[in-house]
Every structure is written in C-alpha cells, then in structure tokens.
C-alpha cells in the first residue's frame, strides 16, 4: 500500500514538472493560439446585435489529446452557422485550462486554474471569478455573482441592479470514447461516435445593455460553450 502511494505521488510530481511551462513558453503558445483562431475566423459569420442570444452549445471541432490537450473549432448559432472561433488548451492532471475565442467583433482570453477564472476582453484585463461565484473587476472590487455550483440547470449572472442574464448550463458534454475490438488477431482502437442532441441556446434571458456587464456575459457564455462542451476524459 505504501509503495502504491509513493508511486502515485511520483506520477503526480513528474506530471507536474512535465506540464509546468515557463512564462516565455506560455506567451509564445498564446501567440500560436491567436494565429490559429484568426485562421478560423475567415469562416465565421459577422457578429450582430442579437448574436449573443443565438449562441448555442453546438460546435464543430477537432482535438488532440496528450500531456497537452487541444480543442480547436467554432461555436455555432442556432441556425448552425459558425459564429465564434476558438482554441482551448488543457495541461496537467488538475484543472489548468486556457481558452482563446474570437468573433468578428471581440476577442476573449481566459485562464482557469485553481478554481479561479481570469478574463481578458479585447486584450484588456476584465477581471476574475473567485470562490466559484464572486465576480471581481480589474481593480479587484467585487461587482457581482455567478453561482454555477447550484444543482439548477441554469445559473444567473447578477450585478448591482440584479439579474443581468440567465445562462443555461451546457449539458452536451462531448467526450473521447474508445472501445477495443479484435480483428485478424490484432488489437486495434476504434472511435465510438454518438448521436448529437440538437444545439441549444445558452442565453435564457438577457436583461442588461450595460457594456461592461455584456462583456462578462459574453465571456461566461463562451466559457460555458467551450469548457463544459468537451471533456478530454473518456
């Protein structure tokens, strides 16, 4: 039992060291993410005043799973048209995720680590979410709440004047699945595909026109689509 525990600790330490990257590496990686997303943007439709209400959990995507997992693709509107391009990179055993997404109107960058989500909007630091639901602005002042931890199928985004939006939790958790089968005395892997449910709009209600509040709602909607829309765990 002691040897097994030591083995687990060793795996965690080695995994942490392998996935720990320098600031310079992360900066270069972000540049590569921006280049990839920019290339995908040529296929997305123009962002309009009502586009936010039409963002769904439907995605067209490709993925690479390794010590560094990558998910790349587009988020679709309720008409099935690409509306936001994105790339997500996950690294390590514990939560350590980076998301860069862009429409024709804005760019979002998010880092999710140690239960803290940090957001940039059009390359300007927007703020962060801590303790699962406290929304802090760029000056570290608490300006709202976003409690996704409840058992409800949706969550609200609340600012000083009350509920600014209600966002549906993304239940379409796409994942990697493999099964083994025997053919000609050789073991081979085969992907398991599933019927996808129809895309669902993520914005259930929108009750604000405040520019700063809309930045948060857009950021959280994109995060909901990309982070909760795919799992690298089979």
């Amino acid at each position: 039992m002691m040897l097994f525990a030591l083995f687990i600790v060793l795996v965690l330490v080695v995994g942490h060291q392998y996935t720990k990257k320098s600031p310079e590496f992360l900066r270069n990686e972000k540049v590569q993410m921006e280049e990839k997303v920019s290339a995908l943007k040529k296929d997305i439709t123009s962002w309009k005043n009502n586009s936010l209400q039409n963002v769904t959990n439907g995605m067209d995507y490709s993925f690479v799973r390794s010590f560094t997992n990558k998910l790349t693709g587009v988020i679709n509107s309720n008409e099935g048209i690409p509306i936001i391009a994105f790339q997500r990179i996950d690294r390590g055993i514990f939560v350590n995720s980076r998301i860069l997404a862009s429409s024709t109107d804005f760019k979002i960058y998010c880092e999710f680590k140690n239960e803290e989500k940090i957001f940039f909007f059009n390359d300007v630091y927007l703020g962060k979410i801590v303790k699962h639901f406290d929304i802090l602005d760029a000056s570290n002042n608490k300006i709202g709440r976003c409690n996704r931890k409840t058992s409800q199928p949706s969550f609200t985004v609340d600012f000083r004047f009350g509920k600014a939006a209600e966002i549906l939790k993304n239940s379409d958790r796409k994942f990697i699945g493999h099964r083994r089968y025997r053919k000609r005395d050789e073991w081979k892997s085969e992907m398991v595909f599933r019927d996808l449910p129809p895309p669902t709009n993520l914005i259930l209600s929108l009750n604000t026109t405040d520019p700063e509040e809309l930045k948060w709602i857009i950021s959280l909607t994109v995060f909901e689509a990309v982070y909760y829309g795919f799992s690298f765990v089979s």
Side-chain angles (χ1 to χ4, degrees), residues 70-81:
K70 292 184 179 181
L71 177 70
T72 307
V74 293
I75 302 171
N76 295 324
S77 70
N78 54 16
E79 298 173 332
I81 299 172

Side-chain angles (χ1 to χ4, degrees), residues 52 105-106 121-122 126 143 159-161 164 206-219:
L52 177 57
D105 189 62
F106 58 78
F121 196 95
N122 287 337
L126 183 62
I143 59 171
F159 294 104
R160 54 180 176 171
F161 294 122
L206 184 63
N207 312 308
T208 182
T209 57
D210 181 89
E212 291 303 307
E213 293 180 0
L214 285 173
K215 290 177 184 178
W216 276 106
I217 295 165
I218 291 170
S219 299

